[in-house]
Amino acid sequence: MTPDLAPPAQHFWSRALANRSFFVGFIITAVVVMMAAVSYVWTPFDVTELNIAGKLKAPSTLHWFGTDHFGRDIFSMIMVGARNSIAVALVAVIIGIGIGVPVGCWAAARGGFLDEALMRGNDIIFAFPALLSAVMITAVFGPGAINAIIAIGIFNIPVFARLARGAALALWTREFILAARVAGKGRALITAEHIVPNMANLIIVQGTVAFALGIIQEAGLAYVGLGTQPPFPSWGKMLNEAQTMMSFAPHMAIVPGLAIVITVLGLNLLGDGLRDVLDPHLSRERT
Amino acid sequence: MSKLRRIAVAALMTTALMPMVEASTALAAKTSLTMGMVLEPPHLDPTAGAPAAIDEVVYSNLFEGLTRIGSKGEVLPGLAERWDVSEDGKTYTFHLRKGVKFHDGTDFDASDVKFSFDRARAEESTNAQKGLFAGIENIETVDPATVKITLKSAAGSFLFNLGWGDAVIVAPESAEGNKAKPIGTGPFKFGNWVKGASVDLVRNDAYWGDKVSLEKATFRFISDPAAALSSMLAGDVDAFANFPAPESIPQLKADPRFKVVVGSTEGETILTTNNTKPPFNDVRVRRAIAHAIDRQAIIDGAMFGLGTPIGTHFAPHHPAYVNLVDRYPLDLEGAKKLLAEAGHPDGFKATLKLPPPSYARRGGEIIAAQLRKIGIELEIIPVEWGVWVPEVFKGKDFDLTIVSHTEPQDIGIYGKEGYYFNYTSDAFNDVMAKMNSETDEAKRYGLMGEGQKIITEDAVNGYLFQLAKAGVWNAKINGLWENSPIQANDLTGVSWSD
Amino acid sequence: MTLVLTRKLLWAIVTLIVASVVVFLALEIVPGDPAQVMLGINATDEAVEALRRSLGLNRPPLERYLSWISGMIVGDFGKSYTYSVPVWELFIDRVTVSLPLALLSLFISAAIAIPVGVYAAARRGSAADTGIMAISQLGIAVPNFWLALLLVYVMAIWLQLVPAGGFPGWEAGVLNGLQSLLLPAIALGLPQAAILSRVTRSALLETLGEDYIRTARAKGLSRRATLWKHALRNSMIPVVTIIGLQFAYLLAGTIIIENVFYLPGLGRLVFQAISLRDLIVVESIVMILVATIIIINLLVDLAYFWIDPRLRRRGAR
């Protein structure tokens, strides 16, 4: 095998838990994911049940985060909304990795005109103002979670393509790759066997960053009314609804905002920690 | 006079003058008004487009018609000082005001009137209310100050119609440029238009009538309800004729700085149902829906209590209104039974297309939750007006939608062939035909009542509430209209106290 | 170097052409009819048809595409359907809000981030460094529209220090104009500052770790002199890259903030134009923005050459 950079599993966990960023980020992310998972089987209140008479209640022991303008329990909505945020951002990342990494690897393996053309294709996507394009995409296909995923996912593609290409180009010059080429292995095989495994760490780290960004982007789209549609709760939409009621029901704006901040913070910390843990070479205090 | 005395007098005069100076600066600060509007007009020519936002900026302020509509819906003289109507009611002779000039300095006379109406009637005209002029047989300029209009048949509403924004008088020299730089005869003239933000009007010092007390009027376009509230609280906007955030009304009412006037509109807000599309073609399904709707919850939840429940398609403030609110009381068991009878014991799935206003978006969310209780799962599809009109209104491609029908006394749409909710009833059509040939008002009202009962019995649409309108303005402003008989923000009588 | 530039220019042109096709096609399949939207619900079909004819919407798509493109080449960006004024005029109107806003927030971002980043790098590992890193980590996680909401309520409504929103126009005075751009610029700038400060810090640390810096230190240059003279200039590449990216983002990606503060900027213009189906406005403005972003990227590339002499030689080869 190649001199793999990835450390063995047990080694990984012992080092990871010693890393402060990773530890805090991991805990936060785990809590958010658990909240989302639990919401499938249990929430304190039904989020589709409206109770107009009990609207706009401040946080209390009954409603931990208060109720919204329809009398729904905000804590329950945050739980179910976490599901939505995670799903949209995660699928968008998977689209980015699923298309971007093969494109980047292919460009690096073939080089020449193909490389140039693929990378220019990337530049074209980059040249579009992302949010405006998301607005256009949702105007064409109608608002909704699926279209939000597509809109965010498309802009993840060039990010991963560039990253993969850069990493692959660096790896192609390494001795063990040269050795494999001398041994007569084809480019595709080398890419699959050696290149991709060796850039996995990098992709995972970038993946967490894109995941965090995706959560903010999804919230932004939902905030302007183009994301997930009712009755399914979404953090961005909750913020939008809270806007006009901020002066008499501030909890409606503060709670979903904090949920976004904490989740994104957790993911970013996790990403930082992963970078340090997975690849000591990269840990020279990058952002 | 000794030097000392001169100084003393000077000092006295200065102190005497000082309060005056202060008073006048205070007054000077109060000769402008910033009015908030939800929608920005696409252009400023009221004779070439339907959007109400155009009239809300220019009507009576910038453009004037032969007649004008007052704050209570009465017809007042406008550019026509007075008029005579012939015995048969077909010929109107208008005596125009003299000495009226357009803002560009050109004179107003009878030829401008003929030009304006001929332009509106022409085949290639883009006037949104061409129907107003359809009854005109002939327009004749008797002399520069007299116009004679002959109608095809007598029409009692003709003078009122001439007061619409679509019938204002424009000049041939400037008509084409009115979209971007409107030239009218009104007490304000066009100042500046920052696209996407605001339109400024400035006082027309050459106005033929009484000068208005405002030197400058700014219309600022704020579509976002949150921004509307913050701009009002921060004092960036002095008035909103139709405040877009009902949830903020209690807060604004409690604030002594503001005056809040809640009035009614002609808008019946209904859950429009596609009457030919299964399963909604079954009256039992429509009645089940009617039994499942809790109107008060919708009014409280979507409109924060602003609005009057309605049981039919008629405005509650109209004398012919019949209160049918209790025809379908909230009864979930009864609703489920009706659904079962109609062959849907487990309910069904359908779509609910919602246009942008918050009554529709919020109301739709509440209705979806209410109908879920009887097993009807609604998929909410938010659409922009640009999609709603071709898809729902023209294409009739929908199950349910929510919209406010704002035309006055528009129950006649239930007899209109091919209207988007696809309702046909011979009984209703008979009643309407009788009503149209009836001249006695009491009998007409009786027939209108019958019509209301028929559509409620058939549960054609879900009748929700009469849309309310909340005007909010600085308590120191006088003279703003409390009701809106026509789409306008008439600022001609507006002034600031103190 | 000229060779590199020519190639980049050629690709920029290809990018523009592809982008124009994508934008045009996307808007072709957007449901909704501009003429219908403009005339409203009660318009007769013939009136809608008449308007479609006068807007030229009844022509075949290819013909409309070609006339749009050929118009743009000679600087004619078409005429807005709804406002019936040239798109170029609308663009100029709006860019006088968006550009100052982008510059102001970029200035806020850089003015905070670069000193803070340098300070943190210089005192690496200290409590101050840790604190700065923690705060910036938090800053990255804050969505700018949430920050905007909080700012409006605290600064404009409770304290009444600045206007809650709106834009008086530059005619009302530069100061008034800047005042109403201040809150949006802060809301946009602070999260960007968080990112930029981290970039600055790590770029600086990286250069400080390189051999020539150690050499300079060994030659007896003071720590501070090393930092300012050598390290800072050489760590500017990532910083400039990020600033370029942020500028492009700020110019067009501020729709949400423009909505919160109801500023008549470019993003909101396009947003409104999409909902009114004012297709020509969307198409032309998006193309102008795409072109701007391409130009910014070219300028960033040029900045590399200026900052790093080594690249200049490499490019000339």
Side-chain angles (χ1 to χ4, degrees):
Chain A
M1 253 310 272
T2 58
D4 206 321
L5 294 173
Q10 73 277 21
H11 195 79
F12 168 80
W13 281 106
S14 65
R15 281 209 298 148
L17 294 178
N19 179 300
R20 199 169 37 173
S21 283
F22 181 91
F23 186 75
V24 178
F26 183 76
I27 299 278
I28 294 177
T29 310
V31 168
V32 174
V33 171
M34 287 233 308
M35 235 168 53
V38 170
S39 79
Y40 278 99
V41 289
W42 175 84
T43 50
F45 291 86
D46 182 354
V47 290
T48 56
E49 185 83 24
L50 311 188
N51 173 19
I52 306 289
K55 68 181 181 186
L56 300 172
K57 294 267 185 290
S60 64
T61 43
L62 181 64
H63 296 286
W64 292 359
F65 292 163
T67 61
D68 75 348
H69 59 300
F70 289 158
R72 289 174 295 197
D73 178 54
I74 291 180
F75 182 63
S76 308
M77 291 176 78
I78 292 286
M79 284 177 73
V80 181
R83 225 150 89 185
N84 172 66
S85 288
I86 291 172
V88 171
L90 190 64
V91 178
V93 170
I94 291 172
I95 291 176
I97 293 179
I99 301 177
V101 172
V103 165
C105 289
W106 194 31
R110 297 295 298 269
F113 179 74
L114 184 84
D115 180 20
E116 183 87 33
L118 283 175
M119 287 303 117
R120 289 307 131 188
N122 265 329
D123 286 353
I124 293 175
I125 301 183
F126 256 140
F128 275 88
L131 190 63
L132 272 188
S133 314
V135 170
M136 286 212 307
I137 289 171
T138 43
V140 176
F141 299 107
I146 306 274
N147 298 325
I149 290 174
I150 295 172
I152 300 169
I154 285 182
F155 291 93
N156 276 335
I157 295 173
V159 174
F160 285 99
R162 279 189 180 183
L163 185 76
R165 176 177 172 271
L169 280 180
L171 285 166
W172 276 105
T173 62
R174 298 277 288 271
E175 292 84 359
F176 67 94
I177 302 282
L178 289 175
R181 291 188 69 174
V182 172
K185 284 190 185 174
R187 288 173 191 220
L189 196 64
I190 293 177
T191 300
E193 278 187 357
H194 302 289
I195 304 277
V196 173
N198 275 301
M199 64 168 74
N201 292 342
L202 212 57
I203 302 291
I204 290 171
V205 171
Q206 182 62 44
T208 27
V209 174
F211 192 4
L213 263 178
I215 285 180
I216 293 191
Q217 286 163 340
E218 192 275 337
L221 281 179
Y223 180 79
V224 290
L226 298 174
T228 312
Q229 293 303 319
F232 205 89
S234 125
W235 294 349
K237 194 156 55 68
M238 289 168 77
L239 271 182
N240 170 286
E241 285 159 351
Q243 250 195 91
T244 45
M245 306 177 201
M246 197 140 162
S247 50
F248 51 89
H251 64 276
M252 275 180 69
I254 292 171
V255 172
L258 281 180
I260 298 170
V261 171
I262 290 170
T263 308
V264 172
L265 183 66
L267 284 166
N268 279 339
L269 287 174
L270 185 69
D272 276 8
L274 272 176
R275 173 164 36 222
D276 295 350
V277 175
L278 288 175
D279 188 354
H281 301 289
L282 280 172
S283 67
R284 282 188 314 183
E285 307 283 339
R286 292 227 184 135
T287 43
Chain B
M1 205 196 277
S2 77
K3 199 177 172 186
L4 195 70
R5 270 187 62 187
R6 250 181 306 174
I7 293 169
V9 168
L12 239 163
M13 277 179 63
T14 330
T15 37
L17 278 171
M18 260 168 62
M20 280 175 64
V21 173
E22 272 170 22
S24 66
T25 48
L27 272 178
K30 295 286 181 193
T31 53
S32 67
L33 180 89
T34 303
M35 183 117 193
M37 280 173 52
V38 174
L39 292 177
E40 176 173 22
H43 58 79
L44 293 174
D45 184 356
T47 66
I54 302 173
D55 290 324
E56 284 167 8
V57 172
V58 301
Y59 186 75
S60 269
N61 299 328
L62 206 150
F63 284 111
E64 298 171 304
L66 290 183
T67 61
R68 62 183 285 199
I69 310 301
S71 62
K72 293 173 192 71
E74 72 277 27
V75 177
L76 303 170
L79 288 173
E81 211 164 14
R82 61 203 163 78
W83 47 82
D84 313 310
V85 188
S86 67
E87 293 273 309
D88 60 358
K90 278 174 150 183
T91 310
Y92 286 76
T93 309
F94 292 95
H95 303 282
L96 309 181
R97 279 184 211 275
K98 296 186 184 97
V100 176
K101 279 183 189 304
F102 282 95
H103 299 150
D104 61 356
T106 54
D107 287 320
F108 158 81
D109 63 24
S111 63
D112 295 310
V113 177
K114 184 170 167 53
F115 166 78
S116 299
F117 293 168
D118 283 343
R119 176 169 169 263
R121 296 193 299 157
E123 199 179 333
E124 68 277 8
S125 152
T126 48
N127 194 301
Q129 300 291 343
K130 264 172 123 167
L132 294 181
F133 312 97
I136 296 181
E137 171 89 38
N138 184 40
I139 304 169
E140 189 188 330
T141 54
V142 179
D143 60 59
T146 317
V147 178
K148 197 153 125 198
I149 299 179
T150 318
L151 302 183
K152 290 170 187 152
S153 60
S157 56
F158 186 61
L159 287 172
F160 187 89
N161 287 352
L162 288 186
W164 283 54
D166 307 82
V168 296
I169 305 303
V170 297
E173 295 87 354
S174 49
E176 284 318 305
N178 277 346
K179 283 185 172 179
K181 192 177 183 306
I183 304 277
T185 55
F188 290 97
K189 42 185 187 176
F190 177 70
N192 186 27
W193 185 358
V194 183
K195 298 268 163 35
S198 60
V199 168
D200 286 344
L201 304 182
V202 292
R203 183 159 68 193
N204 171 18
D205 287 321
Y207 185 55
W208 55 266
D210 295 334
K211 254 186 221 167
V212 287
S213 76
L214 293 178
E215 281 175 5
K216 186 178 166 195
T218 302
F219 292 91
R220 190 171 277 180
F221 312 115
I222 305 170
S223 56
D224 188 59
L229 175 65
S230 52
S231 63
M232 204 67 217
L233 291 177
D236 299 341
V237 168
D238 301 315
F240 258 99
N242 197 349
F243 194 73
E247 59 270 37
S248 314
I249 294 299
Q251 183 192 355
L252 291 166
K253 259 187 182 161
D255 194 326
R257 289 182 293 161
F258 304 115
K259 181 172 178 180
V260 176
V261 177
V262 177
S264 57
T265 70
E266 295 293 335
E268 290 85 22
T269 310
I270 60 175
L271 173 70
T272 312
T273 310
N274 192 342
N275 274 253
T276 49
K277 193 164 177 190
F280 302 104
N281 55 353
D282 189 328
V283 69
R284 289 169 297 189
V285 171
R286 300 197 301 265
R287 284 182 180 155
I289 292 175
H291 276 300
I293 290 175
D294 177 356
R295 296 189 187 89
Q296 200 55 49
I298 297 170
I299 295 171
D300 288 344
M303 305 308 290
F304 288 72
L306 293 185
T308 317
I310 51 170
T312 185
H313 197 108
F314 223 78
H317 53 254
H318 193 276
Y321 174 73
V322 183
N323 188 345
L324 297 167
V325 170
D326 295 325
R327 170 62 185 82
Y328 300 104
L330 184 62
D331 174 9
L332 296 184
E333 285 317 306
K336 279 183 195 158
K337 226 163 87 193
L338 278 168
L339 275 187
E341 277 172 32
H344 305 281
D346 305 319
F348 55 85
K349 282 186 182 177
T351 59
L352 175 60
K353 289 189 176 167
L354 300 176
S358 66
Y359 67 72
R361 293 278 165 93
R362 282 191 193 143
E365 232 180 300
I366 299 172
I367 285 180
Q370 291 176 349
L371 294 191
R372 199 174 301 123
K373 288 186 184 154
I374 60 166
I376 301 177
E377 284 291 336
L378 293 183
E379 185 200 344
I380 292 176
I381 305 173
V383 290
E384 292 162 41
W385 285 118
V387 176
W388 189 88
V389 173
E391 259 184 41
V392 177
F393 193 74
K394 301 253 155 156
K396 295 160 206 154
D397 172 20
F398 73 107
D399 295 341
L400 298 168
T401 182
I402 296 178
V403 74
S404 204
H405 281 255
T406 52
E407 294 77 18
Q409 293 172 52
D410 53 358
I411 192 171
I413 55 179
Y414 287 75
K416 219 169 171 180
E417 207 175 318
Y419 204 63
Y420 74 118
F421 38 74
N422 289 326
Y423 171 69
T424 36
S425 157
D426 295 337
F428 182 84
N429 291 348
D430 284 349
V431 169
M432 282 297 119
K434 264 190 224 155
M435 190 202 74
N436 286 334
S437 57
E438 182 60 65
T439 47
D440 180 66
E441 190 162 72
K443 283 185 183 156
R444 279 173 64 94
Y445 284 1
L447 289 163
M448 283 182 194
E450 265 180 61
Q452 295 172 44
K453 282 178 196 155
I454 293 172
I455 57 170
T456 301
E457 217 39 54
D458 285 342
V460 182
N461 296 312
Y463 301 104
L464 307 176
F465 57 89
Q466 195 72 18
L467 201 62
K469 151 188 134 86
V472 180
W473 54 83
N474 190 306
K476 289 178 183 162
I477 300 175
N478 306 311
L480 275 173
W481 285 14
E482 302 200 351
N483 292 305
S484 39
I486 55 163
Q487 313 274 19
N489 289 314
D490 186 335
L491 299 180
T492 52
V494 170
S495 62
W496 288 86
S497 51
D498 84 46
Chain C
M1 188 176 166
T2 31
L3 186 74
V4 177
L5 273 186
T6 339
R7 258 175 48 142
K8 279 190 186 295
L9 269 176
L10 273 177
W11 273 112
I13 290 165
V14 173
T15 309
L16 279 177
I17 293 171
V18 175
S20 72
V21 175
V22 171
V23 172
F24 187 83
L25 284 181
L27 290 173
E28 273 306 294
I29 51 178
V30 171
D33 174 1
Q36 183 74 62
V37 178
M38 285 169 70
L39 289 176
I41 295 176
N42 294 317
T44 58
D45 288 340
E46 58 206 276
V48 173
E49 206 38 57
L51 185 61
R52 284 179 61 83
R53 262 200 309 280
S54 75
L55 293 176
L57 283 168
N58 53 340
R59 293 180 297 158
L62 185 68
E63 197 184 316
R64 273 182 294 129
Y65 174 76
L66 290 178
S67 76
W68 172 54
I69 286 293
S70 52
M72 275 205 298
I73 290 169
V74 295
D76 172 13
F77 292 85
K79 198 171 164 189
S80 158
Y81 301 158
T82 42
Y83 290 122
S84 56
V85 294
V87 176
W88 180 247
E89 256 175 51
L90 283 178
F91 175 77
I92 293 298
D93 264 10
R94 303 303 183 97
V95 86
T96 53
V97 177
S98 286
L99 189 65
L101 175 61
L103 289 174
L104 189 59
S105 46
L106 207 61
F107 174 75
I108 290 174
S109 163
I112 296 174
I114 294 179
V116 163
V118 170
Y119 182 84
R123 291 187 177 49
R124 183 185 181 183
S126 69
D129 180 28
T130 317
I132 287 169
M133 284 299 96
I135 291 171
S136 66
Q137 189 69 268
L138 191 68
I140 293 174
V142 174
N144 55 25
F145 51 92
W146 189 56
L147 183 62
L149 281 185
L150 300 181
L151 280 174
V152 167
Y153 277 86
V154 175
M155 305 297 285
I157 293 181
W158 288 355
L159 304 178
Q160 309 221 341
L161 291 176
V162 275
F167 188 70
W170 292 112
E171 312 84 70
V174 175
L175 222 59
N176 281 331
L178 284 178
Q179 205 186 18
S180 47
L181 292 183
L182 191 63
L183 277 197
I186 292 174
L188 282 168
L190 281 188
Q192 304 290 339
I195 298 171
L196 195 59
S197 66
R198 293 178 79 87
V199 173
T200 310
R201 174 180 177 272
S202 60
L204 202 53
L205 285 178
E206 200 150 324
T207 4
L208 284 175
E210 283 190 21
D211 294 340
Y212 66 95
I213 297 287
R214 291 203 204 110
T215 322
R217 288 274 285 150
K219 280 200 306 202
L221 264 172
S222 79
R223 207 177 135 82
R224 177 158 302 196
T226 325
L227 190 70
W228 292 113
K229 268 200 173 147
H230 296 274
L232 202 56
R233 185 191 175 104
N234 284 305
S235 42
M236 274 334 237
I237 286 195
V239 176
V240 166
T241 311
I242 297 293
I243 289 182
L245 280 175
Q246 289 187 341
F247 183 66
Y249 162 79
L250 287 170
L251 196 56
T254 57
I255 301 177
I256 301 180
I257 293 295
E258 285 173 5
N259 268 325
V260 175
F261 293 96
Y262 58 100
L263 295 173
L266 278 179
R268 214 160 67 106
L269 173 66
V270 178
F271 195 72
Q272 284 173 336
I274 287 177
S275 67
L276 293 170
R277 300 292 183 266
D278 197 343
L279 305 181
I280 187 77
V281 171
V282 183
E283 288 163 354
S284 295
I285 302 275
V286 168
M287 282 315 293
I288 295 174
L289 288 174
V290 169
T292 312
I293 291 174
I294 290 172
I295 292 169
I296 290 173
N297 287 342
L298 279 176
L299 289 179
V300 168
D301 285 343
L302 280 181
Y304 290 167
F305 284 111
W306 177 72
I307 291 171
D308 192 340
R310 283 175 299 177
L311 277 178
R312 228 173 296 170
R313 283 196 297 276
R314 210 178 300 166
R317 230 179 9 216

